[in-house]
PDB file of all heavy atoms in Angstrom:
ATOM      1  N   THR A 915      -0.633  -6.767   1.709  1.00  0.00           N
ATOM      2  CA  THR A 915       0.239  -6.041   0.777  1.00  0.00           C
ATOM      3  C   THR A 915       0.951  -7.006  -0.182  1.00  0.00           C
ATOM      4  O   THR A 915       1.035  -6.743  -1.378  1.00  0.00           O
ATOM      5  CB  THR A 915       1.264  -5.216   1.568  1.00  0.00           C
ATOM      6  OG1 THR A 915       0.587  -4.324   2.434  1.00  0.00           O
ATOM      7  CG2 THR A 915       2.153  -4.433   0.625  1.00  0.00           C
ATOM      8  N   PHE A 916       1.404  -8.121   0.369  1.00  0.00           N
ATOM      9  CA  PHE A 916       2.054  -9.130  -0.481  1.00  0.00           C
ATOM     10  C   PHE A 916       1.109  -9.569  -1.591  1.00  0.00           C
ATOM     11  O   PHE A 916       1.506  -9.615  -2.768  1.00  0.00           O
ATOM     12  CB  PHE A 916       2.493 -10.353   0.342  1.00  0.00           C
ATOM     13  CG  PHE A 916       2.858 -11.524  -0.512  1.00  0.00           C
ATOM     14  CD1 PHE A 916       4.051 -11.573  -1.215  1.00  0.00           C
ATOM     15  CD2 PHE A 916       1.975 -12.603  -0.660  1.00  0.00           C
ATOM     16  CE1 PHE A 916       4.359 -12.654  -2.019  1.00  0.00           C
ATOM     17  CE2 PHE A 916       2.265 -13.693  -1.469  1.00  0.00           C
ATOM     18  CZ  PHE A 916       3.471 -13.691  -2.143  1.00  0.00           C
ATOM     19  N   TRP A 917      -0.115  -9.927  -1.232  1.00  0.00           N
ATOM     20  CA  TRP A 917      -1.072 -10.393  -2.248  1.00  0.00           C
ATOM     21  C   TRP A 917      -1.408  -9.318  -3.254  1.00  0.00           C
ATOM     22  O   TRP A 917      -1.585  -9.583  -4.435  1.00  0.00           O
ATOM     23  CB  TRP A 917      -2.319 -10.969  -1.568  1.00  0.00           C
ATOM     24  CG  TRP A 917      -2.028 -12.319  -0.974  1.00  0.00           C
ATOM     25  CD1 TRP A 917      -1.886 -12.592   0.373  1.00  0.00           C
ATOM     26  CD2 TRP A 917      -1.882 -13.553  -1.641  1.00  0.00           C
ATOM     27  NE1 TRP A 917      -1.596 -13.925   0.531  1.00  0.00           N
ATOM     28  CE2 TRP A 917      -1.609 -14.559  -0.680  1.00  0.00           C
ATOM     29  CE3 TRP A 917      -1.913 -13.940  -2.986  1.00  0.00           C
ATOM     30  CZ2 TRP A 917      -1.389 -15.880  -1.006  1.00  0.00           C
ATOM     31  CZ3 TRP A 917      -1.716 -15.275  -3.300  1.00  0.00           C
ATOM     32  CH2 TRP A 917      -1.454 -16.224  -2.325  1.00  0.00           C
ATOM     33  N   SER A 918      -1.498  -8.086  -2.793  1.00  0.00           N
ATOM     34  CA  SER A 918      -1.754  -6.969  -3.729  1.00  0.00           C
ATOM     35  C   SER A 918      -0.608  -6.788  -4.712  1.00  0.00           C
ATOM     36  O   SER A 918      -0.818  -6.634  -5.923  1.00  0.00           O
ATOM     37  CB  SER A 918      -1.978  -5.666  -2.962  1.00  0.00           C
ATOM     38  OG  SER A 918      -3.120  -5.750  -2.152  1.00  0.00           O
ATOM     39  N   LEU A 919       0.620  -6.811  -4.175  1.00  0.00           N
ATOM     40  CA  LEU A 919       1.786  -6.672  -5.042  1.00  0.00           C
ATOM     41  C   LEU A 919       1.924  -7.862  -6.029  1.00  0.00           C
ATOM     42  O   LEU A 919       2.301  -7.708  -7.180  1.00  0.00           O
ATOM     43  CB  LEU A 919       3.052  -6.563  -4.212  1.00  0.00           C
ATOM     44  CG  LEU A 919       3.214  -5.261  -3.424  1.00  0.00           C
ATOM     45  CD1 LEU A 919       4.410  -5.334  -2.502  1.00  0.00           C
ATOM     46  CD2 LEU A 919       3.352  -4.069  -4.362  1.00  0.00           C
ATOM     47  N   LEU A 920       1.574  -9.050  -5.534  1.00  0.00           N
ATOM     48  CA  LEU A 920       1.624 -10.221  -6.405  1.00  0.00           C
ATOM     49  C   LEU A 920       0.599 -10.089  -7.531  1.00  0.00           C
ATOM     50  O   LEU A 920       0.896 -10.383  -8.707  1.00  0.00           O
ATOM     51  CB  LEU A 920       1.359 -11.512  -5.596  1.00  0.00           C
ATOM     52  CG  LEU A 920       1.410 -12.814  -6.394  1.00  0.00           C
ATOM     53  CD1 LEU A 920       2.777 -13.013  -7.053  1.00  0.00           C
ATOM     54  CD2 LEU A 920       1.060 -13.994  -5.496  1.00  0.00           C
ATOM     55  N   GLY A 921      -0.597  -9.605  -7.204  1.00  0.00           N
ATOM     56  CA  GLY A 921      -1.598  -9.360  -8.225  1.00  0.00           C
ATOM     57  C   GLY A 921      -1.098  -8.357  -9.276  1.00  0.00           C
ATOM     58  O   GLY A 921      -1.307  -8.551 -10.480  1.00  0.00           O
ATOM     59  N   GLY A 922      -0.460  -7.300  -8.822  1.00  0.00           N
ATOM     60  CA  GLY A 922       0.105  -6.329  -9.760  1.00  0.00           C
ATOM     61  C   GLY A 922       1.198  -6.917 -10.622  1.00  0.00           C
ATOM     62  O   GLY A 922       1.275  -6.621 -11.830  1.00  0.00           O
ATOM     63  N   THR A 923       2.012  -7.785 -10.049  1.00  0.00           N
ATOM     64  CA  THR A 923       3.075  -8.444 -10.795  1.00  0.00           C
ATOM     65  C   THR A 923       2.482  -9.349 -11.867  1.00  0.00           C
ATOM     66  O   THR A 923       2.986  -9.411 -13.015  1.00  0.00           O
ATOM     67  CB  THR A 923       3.984  -9.235  -9.848  1.00  0.00           C
ATOM     68  OG1 THR A 923       4.511  -8.353  -8.862  1.00  0.00           O
ATOM     69  CG2 THR A 923       5.114  -9.880 -10.586  1.00  0.00           C
ATOM     70  N   ILE A 924       1.397 -10.038 -11.541  1.00  0.00           N
ATOM     71  CA  ILE A 924       0.725 -10.911 -12.493  1.00  0.00           C
ATOM     72  C   ILE A 924       0.177 -10.064 -13.645  1.00  0.00           C
ATOM     73  O   ILE A 924       0.285 -10.431 -14.829  1.00  0.00           O
ATOM     74  CB  ILE A 924      -0.385 -11.744 -11.808  1.00  0.00           C
ATOM     75  CG1 ILE A 924       0.222 -12.753 -10.851  1.00  0.00           C
ATOM     76  CG2 ILE A 924      -1.271 -12.442 -12.843  1.00  0.00           C
ATOM     77  CD1 ILE A 924      -0.766 -13.404  -9.927  1.00  0.00           C
ATOM     78  N   LEU A 925      -0.398  -8.915 -13.322  1.00  0.00           N
ATOM     79  CA  LEU A 925      -0.933  -8.040 -14.383  1.00  0.00           C
ATOM     80  C   LEU A 925       0.184  -7.526 -15.280  1.00  0.00           C
ATOM     81  O   LEU A 925       0.025  -7.454 -16.511  1.00  0.00           O
ATOM     82  CB  LEU A 925      -1.686  -6.848 -13.763  1.00  0.00           C
ATOM     83  CG  LEU A 925      -3.037  -7.199 -13.109  1.00  0.00           C
ATOM     84  CD1 LEU A 925      -3.625  -5.975 -12.414  1.00  0.00           C
ATOM     85  CD2 LEU A 925      -4.001  -7.770 -14.139  1.00  0.00           C
ATOM     86  N   ILE A 926       1.305  -7.164 -14.681  1.00  0.00           N
ATOM     87  CA  ILE A 926       2.461  -6.696 -15.485  1.00  0.00           C
ATOM     88  C   ILE A 926       2.970  -7.802 -16.378  1.00  0.00           C
ATOM     89  O   ILE A 926       3.226  -7.578 -17.583  1.00  0.00           O
ATOM     90  CB  ILE A 926       3.589  -6.165 -14.562  1.00  0.00           C
ATOM     91  CG1 ILE A 926       3.158  -4.859 -13.868  1.00  0.00           C
ATOM     92  CG2 ILE A 926       4.888  -5.989 -15.319  1.00  0.00           C
ATOM     93  CD1 ILE A 926       4.056  -4.414 -12.750  1.00  0.00           C
ATOM     94  N   ALA A 927       3.069  -9.024 -15.855  1.00  0.00           N
ATOM     95  CA  ALA A 927       3.530 -10.143 -16.657  1.00  0.00           C
ATOM     96  C   ALA A 927       2.540 -10.398 -17.806  1.00  0.00           C
ATOM     97  O   ALA A 927       2.965 -10.644 -18.959  1.00  0.00           O
ATOM     98  CB  ALA A 927       3.653 -11.385 -15.796  1.00  0.00           C
ATOM     99  N   GLY A 928       1.246 -10.350 -17.521  1.00  0.00           N
ATOM    100  CA  GLY A 928       0.246 -10.565 -18.554  1.00  0.00           C
ATOM    101  C   GLY A 928       0.326  -9.516 -19.649  1.00  0.00           C
ATOM    102  O   GLY A 928       0.204  -9.831 -20.833  1.00  0.00           O
ATOM    103  N   ALA A 929       0.471  -8.267 -19.240  1.00  0.00           N
ATOM    104  CA  ALA A 929       0.595  -7.168 -20.205  1.00  0.00           C
ATOM    105  C   ALA A 929       1.833  -7.343 -21.102  1.00  0.00           C
ATOM    106  O   ALA A 929       1.775  -7.142 -22.305  1.00  0.00           O
ATOM    107  CB  ALA A 929       0.628  -5.830 -19.507  1.00  0.00           C
ATOM    108  N   LEU A 930       2.944  -7.743 -20.496  1.00  0.00           N
ATOM    109  CA  LEU A 930       4.156  -7.965 -21.270  1.00  0.00           C
ATOM    110  C   LEU A 930       3.986  -9.141 -22.238  1.00  0.00           C
ATOM    111  O   LEU A 930       4.445  -9.056 -23.368  1.00  0.00           O
ATOM    112  CB  LEU A 930       5.342  -8.221 -20.325  1.00  0.00           C
ATOM    113  CG  LEU A 930       6.698  -8.444 -21.028  1.00  0.00           C
ATOM    114  CD1 LEU A 930       7.095  -7.223 -21.842  1.00  0.00           C
ATOM    115  CD2 LEU A 930       7.768  -8.775 -20.015  1.00  0.00           C
ATOM    116  N   LEU A 931       3.308 -10.176 -21.782  1.00  0.00           N
ATOM    117  CA  LEU A 931       3.074 -11.319 -22.680  1.00  0.00           C
ATOM    118  C   LEU A 931       2.195 -10.936 -23.867  1.00  0.00           C
ATOM    119  O   LEU A 931       2.465 -11.336 -24.999  1.00  0.00           O
ATOM    120  CB  LEU A 931       2.448 -12.488 -21.926  1.00  0.00           C
ATOM    121  CG  LEU A 931       3.371 -13.199 -20.929  1.00  0.00           C
ATOM    122  CD1 LEU A 931       2.604 -14.239 -20.154  1.00  0.00           C
ATOM    123  CD2 LEU A 931       4.564 -13.823 -21.639  1.00  0.00           C
ATOM    124  N   LEU A 932       1.182 -10.118 -23.586  1.00  0.00           N
ATOM    125  CA  LEU A 932       0.346  -9.637 -24.693  1.00  0.00           C
ATOM    126  C   LEU A 932       1.137  -8.783 -25.676  1.00  0.00           C
ATOM    127  O   LEU A 932       0.980  -8.878 -26.892  1.00  0.00           O
ATOM    128  CB  LEU A 932      -0.837  -8.855 -24.168  1.00  0.00           C
ATOM    129  CG  LEU A 932      -1.930  -9.675 -23.451  1.00  0.00           C
ATOM    130  CD1 LEU A 932      -2.976  -8.759 -22.832  1.00  0.00           C
ATOM    131  CD2 LEU A 932      -2.590 -10.637 -24.434  1.00  0.00           C
ATOM    132  N   LEU A 933       2.010  -7.924 -25.149  1.00  0.00           N
ATOM    133  CA  LEU A 933       2.854  -7.095 -25.984  1.00  0.00           C
ATOM    134  C   LEU A 933       3.820  -7.953 -26.816  1.00  0.00           C
ATOM    135  O   LEU A 933       3.978  -7.712 -28.010  1.00  0.00           O
ATOM    136  CB  LEU A 933       3.635  -6.102 -25.112  1.00  0.00           C
ATOM    137  CG  LEU A 933       4.571  -5.134 -25.849  1.00  0.00           C
ATOM    138  CD1 LEU A 933       3.753  -4.206 -26.734  1.00  0.00           C
ATOM    139  CD2 LEU A 933       5.399  -4.335 -24.855  1.00  0.00           C
ATOM    140  N   LEU A 934       4.409  -8.948 -26.184  1.00  0.00           N
ATOM    141  CA  LEU A 934       5.311  -9.835 -26.912  1.00  0.00           C
ATOM    142  C   LEU A 934       4.551 -10.631 -28.017  1.00  0.00           C
ATOM    143  O   LEU A 934       5.103 -10.878 -29.084  1.00  0.00           O
ATOM    144  CB  LEU A 934       5.984 -10.833 -25.978  1.00  0.00           C
ATOM    145  CG  LEU A 934       7.160 -10.318 -25.176  1.00  0.00           C
ATOM    146  CD1 LEU A 934       7.585 -11.354 -24.142  1.00  0.00           C
ATOM    147  CD2 LEU A 934       8.303  -9.958 -26.086  1.00  0.00           C
ATOM    148  N   ASP A 935       3.302 -10.964 -27.732  1.00  0.00           N
ATOM    149  CA  ASP A 935       2.494 -11.705 -28.690  1.00  0.00           C
ATOM    150  C   ASP A 935       2.218 -10.853 -29.938  1.00  0.00           C
ATOM    151  O   ASP A 935       2.184 -11.363 -31.053  1.00  0.00           O
ATOM    152  CB  ASP A 935       1.192 -12.155 -28.064  1.00  0.00           C
ATOM    153  CG  ASP A 935       0.492 -13.250 -28.866  1.00  0.00           C
ATOM    154  OD1 ASP A 935       1.198 -14.203 -29.264  1.00  0.00           O
ATOM    155  OD2 ASP A 935      -0.712 -13.156 -29.101  1.00  0.00           O
ATOM    156  N   VAL A 936       2.071  -9.547 -29.720  1.00  0.00           N
ATOM    157  CA  VAL A 936       1.820  -8.650 -30.844  1.00  0.00           C
ATOM    158  C   VAL A 936       3.132  -8.347 -31.585  1.00  0.00           C
ATOM    159  O   VAL A 936       3.190  -8.403 -32.829  1.00  0.00           O
ATOM    160  CB  VAL A 936       1.191  -7.321 -30.352  1.00  0.00           C
ATOM    161  CG1 VAL A 936       1.194  -6.260 -31.438  1.00  0.00           C
ATOM    162  CG2 VAL A 936      -0.177  -7.567 -29.805  1.00  0.00           C
ATOM    163  N   LEU A 937       4.204  -8.069 -30.849  1.00  0.00           N
ATOM    164  CA  LEU A 937       5.482  -7.685 -31.466  1.00  0.00           C
ATOM    165  C   LEU A 937       6.224  -8.889 -32.065  1.00  0.00           C
ATOM    166  O   LEU A 937       7.002  -8.727 -33.027  1.00  0.00           O
ATOM    167  CB  LEU A 937       6.375  -7.018 -30.453  1.00  0.00           C
ATOM    168  CG  LEU A 937       5.879  -5.680 -29.895  1.00  0.00           C
ATOM    169  CD1 LEU A 937       6.820  -5.168 -28.821  1.00  0.00           C
ATOM    170  CD2 LEU A 937       5.705  -4.673 -31.016  1.00  0.00           C
ATOM    171  N   LEU A 938       6.031 -10.062 -31.481  1.00  0.00           N
ATOM    172  CA  LEU A 938       6.784 -11.242 -31.880  1.00  0.00           C
ATOM    173  C   LEU A 938       5.842 -12.453 -31.920  1.00  0.00           C
ATOM    174  O   LEU A 938       5.946 -13.358 -31.097  1.00  0.00           O
ATOM    175  CB  LEU A 938       7.920 -11.457 -30.881  1.00  0.00           C
ATOM    176  CG  LEU A 938       9.105 -12.295 -31.275  1.00  0.00           C
ATOM    177  CD1 LEU A 938       9.805 -11.690 -32.490  1.00  0.00           C
ATOM    178  CD2 LEU A 938      10.086 -12.395 -30.119  1.00  0.00           C
ATOM    179  N   PRO A 939       4.906 -12.452 -32.864  1.00  0.00           N
ATOM    180  CA  PRO A 939       3.881 -13.505 -32.879  1.00  0.00           C
ATOM    181  C   PRO A 939       4.412 -14.915 -32.966  1.00  0.00           C
ATOM    182  O   PRO A 939       3.809 -15.849 -32.441  1.00  0.00           O
ATOM    183  CB  PRO A 939       3.007 -13.162 -34.106  1.00  0.00           C
ATOM    184  CG  PRO A 939       3.721 -12.111 -34.845  1.00  0.00           C
ATOM    185  CD  PRO A 939       4.777 -11.532 -33.987  1.00  0.00           C
ATOM    186  N   GLN A 940       5.558 -15.092 -33.609  1.00  0.00           N
ATOM    187  CA  GLN A 940       6.130 -16.451 -33.718  1.00  0.00           C
ATOM    188  C   GLN A 940       6.654 -16.972 -32.382  1.00  0.00           C
ATOM    189  O   GLN A 940       6.922 -18.178 -32.258  1.00  0.00           O
ATOM    190  CB  GLN A 940       7.186 -16.557 -34.813  1.00  0.00           C
ATOM    191  CG  GLN A 940       8.340 -15.612 -34.785  1.00  0.00           C
ATOM    192  CD  GLN A 940       8.082 -14.225 -35.362  1.00  0.00           C
ATOM    193  OE1 GLN A 940       7.031 -13.631 -35.130  1.00  0.00           O
ATOM    194  NE2 GLN A 940       9.034 -13.681 -36.041  1.00  0.00           N
ATOM    195  N   SER A 941       6.726 -16.143 -31.365  1.00  0.00           N
ATOM    196  CA  SER A 941       7.177 -16.581 -30.030  1.00  0.00           C
ATOM    197  C   SER A 941       6.058 -17.325 -29.290  1.00  0.00           C
ATOM    198  O   SER A 941       6.329 -17.980 -28.299  1.00  0.00           O
ATOM    199  CB  SER A 941       7.654 -15.404 -29.196  1.00  0.00           C
ATOM    200  OG  SER A 941       6.531 -14.635 -28.772  1.00  0.00           O
ATOM    201  N   ASP A 942       4.815 -17.165 -29.762  1.00  0.00           N
ATOM    202  CA  ASP A 942       3.668 -17.809 -29.125  1.00  0.00           C
ATOM    203  C   ASP A 942       3.623 -17.435 -27.635  1.00  0.00           C
ATOM    204  O   ASP A 942       3.487 -18.267 -26.751  1.00  0.00           O
ATOM    205  CB  ASP A 942       3.735 -19.323 -29.305  1.00  0.00           C
ATOM    206  CG  ASP A 942       2.370 -19.975 -29.226  1.00  0.00           C
ATOM    207  OD1 ASP A 942       1.373 -19.236 -29.347  1.00  0.00           O
ATOM    208  OD2 ASP A 942       2.290 -21.191 -29.023  1.00  0.00           O
TER     209      ASP A 942
END
């Protein structure tokens, strides 16, 4: 369960980073 939740957290972080890259491209 820990590893599954960690995988989900990584996906959420990745999605947020992609969103930030689109909304705020100068943030790199």
Side-chain angles (χ1 to χ4, degrees):
T915 302
F916 166 75
W917 286 104
S918 296
L919 291 172
L920 181 61
T923 303
I924 293 168
L925 289 175
I926 290 169
L930 181 61
L931 289 175
L932 289 173
L933 181 64
L934 281 172
D935 196 47
V936 170
L937 296 176
L938 201 59
Q940 54 279 41
S941 73
D942 205 17

